[in-house]
Amino acid sequence: SRAIQEQLRASGREDHADCCLTPLELSIPGERERRRTRVMLGARSASLTDRPLRVLLHLIKGKLHKVLVHNQDMGFNGDGGNRWPHEINKSMRDTFPVDVAKIVENHYNGYYSLIDGITIGEIVYERLLAIEDSEITALVREIEDLQRASKGDS
């Protein structure tokens, strides 16, 4: 029993009930169709245009840094741009499991994050770099460095 409890804690779970919880893995295979990029939540996919993709990349970077992301960090300056985090929820709604209402959390005062249950899966950097958008390129390089450092491959 003690060994089982230790293994549960080591895997981030408190008890056996938590074993039934499936983490929501967010990945970006990066295939493009016209001006949209495919993103995945678990086994389901959605396509995002470049602006919400940039916002999603900012939120992924925040998740990896373990910080909230402010509107201004995402390039919004009071021109109504704060709708984009909500647009991600809307665009990706068909990928959500039945018990999930959103993946972007609004912490008010201009701060956003991905919900706690999200894990970051595979991101195909080469495909995202091929978009040739300077902001996407910078974010992808930062995320790649963060993921590499978290795996100890630095």
Side-chain angles (χ1 to χ4, degrees):
S1 176
R2 187 171 141 217
I4 291 171
Q5 289 299 320
E6 288 173 7
Q7 289 300 312
L8 284 169
R9 279 193 295 280
S11 68
R13 295 173 264 191
E14 293 298 318
D15 60 34
H16 285 289
D18 291 342
C19 293
C20 297
L21 301 175
T22 305
L24 297 172
E25 184 177 84
L26 178 67
S27 58
I28 307 177
E31 291 102 351
R32 295 277 284 183
E33 185 175 325
R34 296 189 186 139
R35 299 182 59 86
R36 295 179 168 270
T37 302
R38 187 164 72 103
V39 297
M40 305 282 298
L41 188 62
R44 296 181 177 170
S45 69
S47 294
L48 299 179
T49 59
D50 290 350
R51 187 62 188 134
L53 177 63
R54 284 185 210 107
V55 172
L56 183 61
L57 291 169
H58 277 287
L59 293 167
I60 289 171
K61 183 178 117 179
K63 179 83 166 175
L64 294 171
H65 268 299
K66 298 179 181 168
V67 297
L68 299 178
V69 182
H70 194 269
N71 277 343
Q72 291 177 344
D73 297 329
M74 291 186 276
F76 308 140
N77 53 11
D79 62 355
N82 62 345
R83 77 178 191 280
W84 289 108
H86 305 291
E87 230 8 80
I88 292 170
N89 283 329
K90 184 178 173 186
S91 298
M92 294 188 66
R93 186 164 286 127
D94 290 342
T95 67
F96 298 170
V98 177
D99 59 337
V100 173
K102 60 186 173 184
I103 62 166
V104 178
E105 183 74 43
N106 181 352
H107 297 276
Y108 301 103
N109 298 320
Y111 287 95
Y112 295 88
S113 71
L114 293 172
I115 62 171
D116 287 337
I118 296 282
T119 60
I120 307 304
E122 181 182 10
I123 298 173
V124 181
Y125 306 111
E126 299 80 24
R127 288 185 178 153
L128 294 175
L129 294 171
I131 295 172
E132 296 183 357
D133 175 287
S134 61
E135 186 176 354
I136 289 173
T137 296
L139 287 163
V140 167
R141 295 205 187 283
E142 286 182 73
I143 291 168
E144 183 177 21
D145 290 344
L146 286 167
Q147 283 192 316
R148 187 177 297 127
S150 72
K151 292 177 184 173
D153 297 340
S154 56

